[in-house]
Amino acid sequence: MNEIPVPRDIPLPMPAPEPVLIGVLIIFFLMHIVFVNFMVGGAFLTLWYQLRGLKEKRYDDLAYEIAATITANKSIAVVLGVGPLLAINTLYTVYFYTANALTGAFWISIIPLVIVAFVLTYIHKYLWHQMERMKWLHIGLAIVVSLLFLFIPLIFLTNINLMLFPEKWGTIRGFFSALMLPNVFSRYAHFILACPAMTGLLMVWLFRRKNEAEIAATGFERVELIRKGYQWAFWPTAAQFVIGPLALLTLPETQESIHSVIAVFGVAILVSMGMAHLMFTETRRPAETIGKSFAPICALMLVVVGLMGAGRHLYREAAVAPHRELVRAKTEDYMRKVEEANREAAAKGGDVRTSQ
Amino acid sequence: MDFPVFHLDFFGNRWLIATIAILHVLVNHGLAVGMMPLVAAMEWYGQKKQDPRWDRLAYKILFFCFLITTTIGALTGVGIWLSVSLVNPYSIASLIRVFFWAWFTEWLVFITEVCLILAYTLTWKKWSNQGPEKKKQHIRLGFALAFFSWVTMAIIVAILGFMMDPGNWLTDHSFWTGVMNPLYIPQLAFRTPLAAAMAGIIALFLILFFTKRQDGFRHEALRAVALWTLAFAPFVLAAGWWYYTSVPDAMKDNLGVSLATLAFADWQTKFLQIAVVTVVTILLVVQFAISRPNLLPKVALVVPFFAILWMTGHFERVREFIRKPYVIGQYMYANGMRVDDYALLQRDGVLTYATYSNPLTEAEKAGLPERLSEPERTARLETIQKGKDVFMDTCSRCHTGHGVNSITSHLQRMFGDKPWTPELTAGYIEGMHYAQPYMPPFPGSKAELQLLGAYLEHLQHNKAPIPGAQSAGVIVHDENAGRIATKTNQTEAAAR
Amino acid sequence: MKTLGQWLSEKSYRSTVVNLVMLTGVLAMSQSSELFMAVGGGAIAIASFYFLLRAIALTARTKRFVNPYQLSLTWIPGLLAIVLAMTGLYLVISAEPFSMGYCLGVILFACELAMLTIAGVDLDDSASKSSRIIEVV
């Protein structure tokens, strides 16, 4: 028995025209997610290079360079998340809050988990040199941070996914059952793969702008560092050509057709092919010309990210639009009844508002 | 409530919000709003006196604040959102619709604040080494950060003030009338010196960690920061008094009942007492730090710190007094029902318009009278199920079943061990808001009062915790679903 | 006894402070708020007079050498002590004998009277120090 619940909405007008709210939601969410990518990817890469640093000291220094970027990125990631949260609360009140409540324990645990992850990140970064003699404890910290950063996005994704499917709400018994809804893991894999890719581009940017002395201090050639960045960007992106379509194919069916969604993602795939090609070419370039295509790659990445955001929104709309009409009708019907009941009560002469 | 009901039956839902909020206020007031101007002032003073010791101390304090504010501070800020939207989605959703732009602006200021604190902390050493001009710019950056920290607080206080006393908003539903409510200025005036004094006490404490006992600079720093703290202490008391005297005016509209006024008078006296104790402990520490800085122990600073926490906690509670029985004054009751909804709900029943039902767990079904026949048992369980739904929809935002502020403890206090028959409890609940002016009137129908009574009777024998939707899920209400199913078919047909 | 005597004579204010504490003890035991107010108030007045006299003298003497910050360090401990001692006195008078407020008030009163005395004596010390500075200059 799969009953679709149709709750009432808040009977107050939207504070701004809908397109404005949608704009806020999409634009700031994408900015937020890019910094989250940097943060999560940075944590993974730090761990990876730190492990390699056990054998070769200069990798440890490289790990430190990357770890140093996380501090600022994570603060920006958090602060940029608040605006979209505000917008999604306003635009999708019924859907978002329902998903939150149904996974409540895990949803609220985001707060302590992120605090712990951030504090450990700080300890890991600022006590780097003091912990030289406790290398495994230090690496242990990086592992815990990476695991936390792996888990927290899963909570968000589960919520964002659950809110799209009112017909499932009645069947959910806590976070883990919501986790089992189709599409969660493929979308999650899509997101996780994007993290090292974005951080790879961040590495390229970082090592292109450092001066000679700073590069010399790392013990690597500049071209090596930039190439590493591109390799991090390219290989996960290549894997996305498998994971991305998988995420698209596992999207549950919606009442409304999603041709436009498929079209948007199709264009995104084409653009990313061009981008991946440029990335691959860059990895093969010699020291003189490497980094030549960095600007076009970033521009294409921006387009891809923008298309992802747009496609995502179109799908969300397709998934909830018919249901939202039902909610609207129900809310109107309810408000009419409220008015009628108040009139009736007033006619009786009693002040029923507070029944005092 | 037309959302699945999130519920914590042991600590209670309000506990979740309170813990996160108090932590946030502590970090925000003590380490950001109050501390940033102090740190910038220290940096400025060090520059003026050409004394690098001030610079080093200021940086250490800033770094500590940076670590705490960007982790616990920032996340508990988001945490207030998440917890309130879990516990009372109706009220927060309504507030967002009114205050979207205030929150949006606050967010932009918050972004500025975070960027500034990142810049201020991370450029400190670099800019300091680049000559006096660059250093002056850095100091300006510090004061800009201090200003924006204060502005974020100023905006949020407007929203808090609105929740207490919506003033004219009810009649013209506009944003500015909501912001310019009568408690806004007194509250802001109170929080500002409080934050500064709090920061002073925390800074004194940190100085004891960051400097050596024999260091002459320690004494100098303690004395200067003590003066800073002293400068704000009288304003805490003065603005506290102002706030204290403006509250009764604000709550007049909500509560005219003498009982409530009495209880509030208790709160007021206690607030004044705590404020005096707090200010006296602050003054004692300041006096000691100035006249005998070498003898000041760390533990001495813990006392005023906890006094401030105690006062802040008590101060925040006033919002409950003023707004109860409402969550948004005169508009929405604490149970999440709008005042306007009452006529309809009391006529037709809350359950008629509820979308979800809250399934009973096996443990919750225990404790039925023995020797019931199977049909009797089923009927009984059905009543209990409905009663539980009434409880979850109308009581559970504030009360637990058996935990903190539990409904059973209240019944136990009133009725003791004699059977809590539906006649007894329902009769009481019907008129409860006359005797307990903090309580909203019961929003449901007469029949639902009896259902609730039957459920409360069951709770006397069943001590199982009541799960929330986060673990037990929801059942989509049959009647509703039936209607919807047909509707869905209609729309589908129409679509075809 | 010898060591106690030594200890008392090490600093000039110690015997005064011990006397004041004993006086407060006797007053607290008497449980008479009128008596406490009269005698305690008198004690505050005398100690304040002692402090204020020295503070004014020191300020007048060092006016040209000190900035407002140093000046505030001269005045604040004593002024705070006066305010707090009066708060203590107020608590004692307004609360029931041996209630919480009363006990806290007695303690606050005794401590602050002692602090006030010490603040006055401190000024003597710093006055002799500053006069030495002036002589050197």
Side-chain angles (χ1 to χ4, degrees):
Chain A
M1 212 166 61
N2 234 5
E3 289 125 354
I4 305 177
V6 181
R8 301 188 298 277
D9 200 355
I10 306 293
L12 286 171
M14 284 279 167
E18 223 174 275
V20 176
L21 295 174
I22 292 172
V24 169
L25 176 61
I26 296 183
I27 294 168
F28 288 110
F29 176 75
L30 290 178
M31 286 165 68
H32 163 70
I33 210 73
V34 166
F35 280 94
V36 171
N37 281 330
F38 289 155
M39 168 183 96
V40 176
F44 296 163
L45 263 60
T46 303
L47 175 61
W48 171 255
Y49 282 125
Q50 219 185 346
L51 286 171
R52 291 197 64 178
L54 288 174
K55 286 204 181 108
E56 210 177 325
K57 176 71 173 67
R58 59 178 186 157
Y59 278 105
D60 196 69
D61 298 336
L62 177 57
Y64 183 69
E65 289 290 323
I66 297 171
T69 63
I70 303 175
T71 330
N73 285 336
K74 68 128 196 39
S75 285
I76 298 174
V78 168
V79 73
L80 285 179
V82 176
L85 181 69
L86 194 60
I88 204 171
N89 278 346
T90 319
L91 275 170
Y92 298 98
T93 312
V94 167
Y95 304 91
F96 195 63
Y97 285 167
T98 302
N100 294 170
L102 287 172
T103 59
F106 279 82
W107 179 245
I108 196 68
S109 72
I110 286 174
I111 301 302
L113 287 178
V114 176
I115 289 177
V116 171
F118 282 6
V119 168
L120 293 182
T121 311
Y122 278 142
I123 295 175
H124 185 251
K125 174 182 162 185
Y126 288 113
L127 296 182
W128 192 289
H129 301 296
Q130 282 92 320
M131 289 181 84
E132 287 290 337
R133 268 179 290 160
M134 303 173 265
K135 206 68 206 171
W136 277 107
L137 183 65
H138 196 219
I139 290 175
L141 278 181
I143 294 174
V144 175
V145 168
S146 298
L147 288 176
L148 285 170
F149 280 157
L150 268 178
F151 182 60
I152 295 162
L154 194 56
I155 305 178
F156 278 103
L157 241 163
T158 308
N159 259 274
I160 290 296
N161 192 58
L162 176 60
M163 72 175 251
L164 300 180
F165 308 115
E167 68 274 15
K168 301 277 196 253
W169 292 346
T171 64
I172 298 301
R173 299 288 175 269
F175 172 74
F176 289 106
S177 75
L179 194 59
M180 291 307 142
L181 290 182
N183 202 236
V184 173
F185 282 101
S186 49
R187 275 179 81 170
Y188 175 66
H190 196 49
F191 165 80
I192 290 295
L193 273 177
C195 293
M198 293 301 274
T199 314
L201 286 184
L202 180 73
M203 264 177 86
V204 175
W205 175 79
L206 190 70
F207 293 121
R208 267 164 60 99
R209 70 188 282 274
K210 278 198 189 295
N211 62 34
E212 292 303 329
E214 286 168 325
I215 292 289
T218 62
F220 289 92
E221 297 284 323
R222 190 188 294 269
V223 59
E224 283 180 278
L225 293 170
I226 294 178
R227 189 167 295 139
K228 278 184 202 305
Y230 276 128
Q231 281 163 348
W232 279 114
F234 174 72
W235 290 106
T237 306
Q240 295 287 37
F241 288 108
V242 181
I243 300 295
L246 193 70
L248 183 59
L249 290 175
T250 50
L251 280 178
E253 269 189 57
T254 54
Q255 273 186 36
E256 298 211 334
S257 70
I258 54 167
H259 298 312
S260 57
V261 179
I262 294 170
V264 168
F265 284 130
V267 175
I269 291 175
L270 289 178
V271 177
S272 12
M273 278 176 170
M275 180 180 71
H277 173 72
L278 280 181
M279 283 175 178
F280 186 72
T281 325
E282 283 274 58
T283 59
R284 295 296 161 103
R285 286 210 170 110
E288 299 80 53
T289 51
I290 194 163
K292 206 175 72 176
S293 312
F294 184 61
I297 289 176
C298 289
L300 288 178
M301 184 56 107
L302 207 63
V303 174
V304 173
V305 169
L307 287 170
M308 290 289 159
R312 198 170 174 277
H313 180 72
L314 288 174
Y315 178 75
R316 181 165 53 216
E317 279 298 305
V320 305
H323 186 263
R324 195 160 46 189
E325 278 314 308
L326 297 181
V327 170
R328 194 166 292 160
K330 172 122 176 218
T331 312
E332 274 167 19
D333 179 51
Y334 177 78
M335 289 307 284
R336 213 171 34 246
K337 283 186 180 141
V338 165
E339 262 172 50
E340 175 216 305
N342 277 320
R343 265 201 311 276
E344 192 181 300
K348 274 189 200 156
D351 179 14
V352 189
R353 286 184 63 177
T354 53
S355 73
Q356 274 174 3
Chain B
M1 293 281 292
D2 213 20
F3 292 99
V5 184
F6 172 88
H7 184 69
L8 297 170
D9 204 52
F10 183 65
F11 284 117
N13 300 311
R14 295 186 306 169
W15 167 87
L16 179 71
I17 300 177
T19 315
I20 297 178
I22 287 194
L23 207 56
H24 184 70
V25 168
L26 168 65
V27 174
N28 171 282
H29 286 19
L31 295 178
V33 176
M35 195 66 98
M36 290 308 126
L38 179 56
V39 168
M42 278 185 184
E43 192 191 9
W44 166 80
Y45 190 68
Q47 163 79 1
K48 191 176 158 229
K49 292 273 154 190
Q50 287 300 310
D51 186 346
R53 295 175 303 177
W54 279 108
D55 204 79
R56 279 199 294 273
L57 178 66
Y59 180 71
K60 280 181 182 162
I61 293 177
L62 173 67
F63 189 68
F64 173 81
C65 295
F66 171 77
L67 294 186
I68 303 294
T69 50
T70 54
T71 53
I72 301 176
L75 266 301
T76 45
V78 183
I80 296 179
W81 278 97
L82 299 195
S83 58
V84 176
S85 61
L86 281 177
V87 172
N88 215 329
Y90 249 64
S91 76
I92 192 77
S94 306
L95 288 172
I96 287 179
R97 302 252 168 139
V98 179
F99 282 109
F100 182 85
W101 291 111
W103 265 314
F104 192 80
T105 316
E106 200 259 346
W107 176 55
L108 296 182
V109 180
F110 179 43
I111 295 180
T112 319
E113 189 189 344
V114 169
C115 292
L116 282 173
I117 195 173
L118 283 171
Y120 189 52
T121 315
L122 302 175
T123 60
W124 188 297
K125 292 195 168 153
K126 207 169 159 193
W127 287 18
S128 299
N129 294 330
Q130 288 173 356
E133 265 315 303
K134 207 69 181 164
K135 186 68 181 169
K136 264 184 206 150
Q137 271 183 24
H138 191 257
I139 293 168
R140 260 182 242 134
L141 194 62
F143 282 109
L145 168 61
F147 175 71
F148 278 101
S149 307
W150 183 81
V151 172
T152 44
M153 181 178 84
I155 298 176
I156 274 297
V157 168
I159 300 173
L160 289 180
F162 166 77
M163 283 178 70
M164 285 196 262
D165 178 43
N168 299 321
W169 176 77
L170 283 170
T171 41
D172 67 1
H173 282 237
S174 91
F175 168 73
W176 284 110
T177 48
V179 172
M180 279 301 140
N181 63 78
L183 277 179
Y184 177 52
I185 301 295
Q187 206 191 146
L188 190 60
F190 177 69
R191 282 178 196 266
T192 307
L194 179 76
M198 207 163 165
I201 295 292
I202 296 173
L204 287 173
F205 190 65
L206 291 175
I207 289 170
L208 294 179
F209 276 95
F210 294 150
T211 56
K212 297 222 163 55
R213 183 176 280 278
Q214 286 79 23
D215 192 352
F217 176 64
R218 171 188 263 201
H219 302 166
E220 204 182 318
L222 286 176
R223 281 190 165 139
V225 175
L227 272 183
W228 162 280
T229 316
L230 178 66
F232 290 100
F235 293 101
V236 173
L237 213 54
W241 179 264
W242 184 16
Y243 183 78
Y244 159 102
T245 46
S246 20
V247 170
D249 276 344
M251 68 180 248
K252 216 162 39 199
D253 299 333
N254 279 14
L255 302 165
V257 191
S258 56
L259 239 170
T261 320
L262 270 179
F264 178 72
D266 279 351
W267 178 91
Q268 236 182 358
T269 324
K270 201 160 170 216
F271 176 66
L272 208 61
Q273 281 169 354
I274 298 176
V276 169
V277 169
T278 308
V279 172
V280 165
T281 53
I282 293 175
L283 293 183
L284 281 172
V285 166
V286 165
Q287 186 187 36
F288 215 75
I290 290 176
S291 59
R292 291 288 183 277
N294 51 330
L295 296 178
L296 188 69
K298 286 182 186 123
V299 63
L301 288 159
V302 176
V303 180
F305 179 73
F306 278 102
I308 289 177
L309 260 191
W310 184 30
M311 180 171 70
T312 321
H314 194 76
F315 166 76
E316 303 287 353
R317 274 200 62 204
V318 78
R319 261 182 279 143
E320 290 184 20
F321 272 97
I322 301 179
R323 71 174 185 229
K324 274 182 181 178
Y326 303 100
V327 65
I328 303 174
Q330 320 270 320
Y331 177 74
M332 184 181 282
Y333 283 113
N335 52 26
M337 313 281 176
R338 293 181 321 137
V339 176
D340 277 348
D341 291 339
Y342 262 60
L344 177 71
L345 298 178
Q346 286 180 335
R347 188 190 71 188
D348 299 351
V350 171
L351 296 185
T352 318
Y353 299 99
T355 309
Y356 304 102
S357 161
N358 310 271
L360 289 165
T361 58
E362 282 311 311
E364 283 182 280
K365 290 178 187 167
L368 289 180
E370 279 164 32
R371 279 170 296 153
L372 285 179
S373 70
E374 201 46 42
E376 277 174 333
R377 201 181 128 81
T378 314
R380 195 61 167 260
L381 278 177
E382 203 173 311
T383 310
I384 291 173
Q385 171 69 69
K386 285 185 178 154
K388 180 184 173 183
D389 286 338
V390 174
F391 173 80
M392 293 300 269
D393 289 346
T394 61
C395 319
S396 73
R397 294 309 79 206
C398 308
H399 296 285
T400 63
H402 303 286
V404 174
N405 193 20
S406 67
I407 198 145
T408 49
S409 68
H410 291 294
L411 292 177
Q412 185 72 36
R413 199 187 60 237
M414 282 183 295
F415 304 124
D417 288 330
K418 69 177 169 189
W420 304 343
T421 57
E423 295 73 41
L424 190 67
T425 51
Y428 169 73
I429 290 169
E430 193 173 11
M432 164 186 66
H433 55 289
Y434 297 115
Q436 308 282 341
Y438 307 135
M439 297 294 295
F442 180 70
S445 64
K446 297 255 184 224
E448 285 174 340
L449 259 177
Q450 294 302 317
L451 291 171
L452 179 61
Y455 178 64
L456 295 177
E457 187 180 26
H458 178 63
L459 285 185
Q460 192 173 23
H461 310 293
N462 182 306
K463 308 281 180 218
I466 304 170
Q470 74 272 25
S471 53
V474 287
I475 300 169
V476 178
H477 214 275
D478 290 348
E479 261 174 85
N480 258 323
R483 275 212 303 275
I484 288 128
T486 47
K487 255 193 187 161
T488 322
N489 292 340
Q490 282 164 5
T491 28
E492 271 173 5
R496 270 182 232 122
Chain C
M1 273 323 273
K2 200 182 161 194
T3 47
L4 183 66
Q6 260 175 358
W7 181 80
L8 279 175
S9 54
E10 259 172 36
K11 292 272 165 68
S12 55
Y13 54 79
R14 278 185 183 158
S15 48
T16 320
V17 168
V18 171
N19 277 327
L20 285 173
V21 170
M22 290 196 293
L23 173 72
T24 316
V26 172
L27 284 177
M29 239 81 92
S30 76
Q31 294 183 36
S32 152
S33 62
E34 287 83 12
L35 190 67
F36 208 116
M37 186 154 80
V39 181
I44 296 179
I46 295 169
S48 309
F49 183 69
Y50 182 82
F51 166 77
L52 291 173
L53 214 60
R54 268 150 193 77
I56 293 168
L58 185 65
T59 310
R61 215 159 355 128
T62 57
K63 205 164 46 187
R64 279 178 301 143
F65 305 96
V66 300
N67 57 28
Y69 171 69
Q70 286 162 318
L71 203 63
S72 63
L73 293 184
T74 308
W75 283 86
I76 283 171
L79 290 184
L80 273 181
I82 296 171
V83 170
L84 290 171
M86 288 194 330
T87 313
L89 189 61
Y90 171 78
L91 276 176
V92 172
I93 295 165
S94 56
E96 286 294 305
F98 300 110
S99 66
M100 174 91 157
Y102 184 84
C103 297
L104 286 177
V106 169
I107 295 170
L108 188 64
F109 175 78
C111 292
E112 287 308 319
L113 210 50
M115 285 301 279
L116 185 53
T117 317
I118 293 171
V121 177
D122 276 355
L123 291 188
D124 266 353
D125 290 353
S126 63
S128 58
K129 255 185 242 160
S130 67
S131 61
R132 245 178 282 137
I133 295 168
I134 295 166
E135 277 159 27
V136 172
V137 168

